[in-house]
Amino acid sequence: MEEDIIIQISNHIKEKRREKNITVQELAVRANVSKGLISQIENSRTVPSLIVLIDIIKALDIDLNVFFKDIHNKSKQSVILVKRKNEYEHFEKEHATGFHYQRVFTQFITQSTVDIVILELEPDASRPMVETEAFEYKYILSGEIAYHFDDQVINLSKGDSLLFDGRLPHTPKNLGTETASILVIYFFEEKK
């Protein structure tokens, strides 16, 4: 199972439990598992066995086909993923006060090197299209950016993010009159 599917299943269990006003403890009793296991599954900290997963879905009184119909492999999506700040998924981990988690992107990558940089882009900065042998994640810290690809331009504001295959020709352009800042994370896959 790919990591994004595991997260979708975890989130779906939590959503359905909350929709039905069932506590973690109640679900655990109904599914004949521990409260801690339900919590770990909902927080994507463990992967349930198929039998346990089926027991949990049945305990939620949901048809298996209905439960799985919205869960899909995201690898069929476009190679450029845009997420606006208001689309980030808020979630909780355990019972903590004052901790506000937002899942921006989850991408399963094995055998890779991660390079994290801050890019400051002057208003008049320019360069030709480039290609990188990596997946690239961009998070706009400040400013307004237009990301140019061969056949499209994506405008991004502070708090927006972008994930794409760096082998696509691309370049950013600062749309403002001040320096813009971008958090950039490169995921380089190890060559075999």
Side-chain angles (χ1 to χ4, degrees):
M1 239 191 252
E2 289 190 28
E3 192 170 323
D4 65 331
I5 293 175
I6 293 167
I7 290 169
Q8 287 180 63
I9 289 170
S10 300
N11 290 342
H12 213 44
I13 289 170
K14 187 185 294 186
E15 271 174 34
K16 295 300 179 188
R17 178 181 62 75
R18 288 180 174 170
E19 278 175 19
K20 294 178 177 271
N21 285 327
I22 300 172
T23 66
V24 172
Q25 180 64 48
E26 287 175 281
L27 181 56
V29 169
R30 290 181 187 186
N32 201 27
V33 297
S34 72
K35 178 181 174 182
L37 180 60
I38 297 292
S39 180
Q40 288 181 335
I41 292 167
E42 286 188 356
N43 290 305
S44 306
R45 292 189 182 265
T46 192
V47 179
S49 69
L50 183 57
I51 291 169
V52 169
L53 179 59
I54 290 169
D55 286 344
I56 291 169
I57 295 167
K58 285 181 179 176
L60 289 167
D61 198 27
I62 300 171
D63 179 85
L64 290 174
N65 293 324
V66 172
F67 181 85
F68 286 106
K69 82 174 173 62
D70 294 328
I71 294 175
H72 56 279
N73 186 339
K74 292 181 180 174
S75 65
K76 293 181 177 120
Q77 290 181 342
S78 166
V79 292
I80 301 172
L81 304 176
V82 178
K83 249 202 187 157
R84 303 295 176 193
K85 184 178 179 182
N86 63 344
E87 296 173 328
Y88 296 160
E89 174 197 336
H90 297 269
F91 66 99
E92 299 170 9
K93 285 191 176 185
E94 291 85 32
H95 298 290
T97 304
F99 284 71
H100 305 282
Y101 291 95
Q102 293 183 72
R103 180 165 287 115
V104 179
F105 283 113
T106 301
Q107 181 69 36
F108 181 71
I109 298 175
T110 56
Q111 306 244 333
S112 65
T113 300
V114 177
D115 187 24
I116 302 170
V117 301
I118 300 284
L119 168 61
E120 291 187 342
L121 200 58
E122 296 295 328
D124 56 351
S126 67
R127 73 167 189 209
M129 295 276 208
V130 297
E131 297 175 26
T132 310
E133 287 296 318
F135 278 87
E136 297 189 26
Y137 169 77
K138 315 289 181 164
Y139 178 87
I140 309 305
L141 297 169
S142 67
E144 301 281 326
I145 302 291
Y147 244 93
H148 294 260
F149 295 91
D150 270 341
D151 57 351
Q152 65 181 311
V153 176
I154 299 170
N155 291 332
L156 302 165
S157 301
K158 179 180 176 181
D160 291 341
S161 55
L162 180 68
L163 176 69
F164 62 92
D165 185 336
R167 290 169 283 232
L168 294 171
H170 62 277
T171 193
K173 176 105 175 109
N174 184 343
L175 297 176
T177 57
E178 304 285 324
T179 300
S181 292
I182 308 169
L183 172 67
V184 182
I185 304 176
Y186 298 97
F187 298 93
F188 294 94
E189 294 176 312
E190 298 295 327
K191 302 285 187 207
K192 302 257 182 199

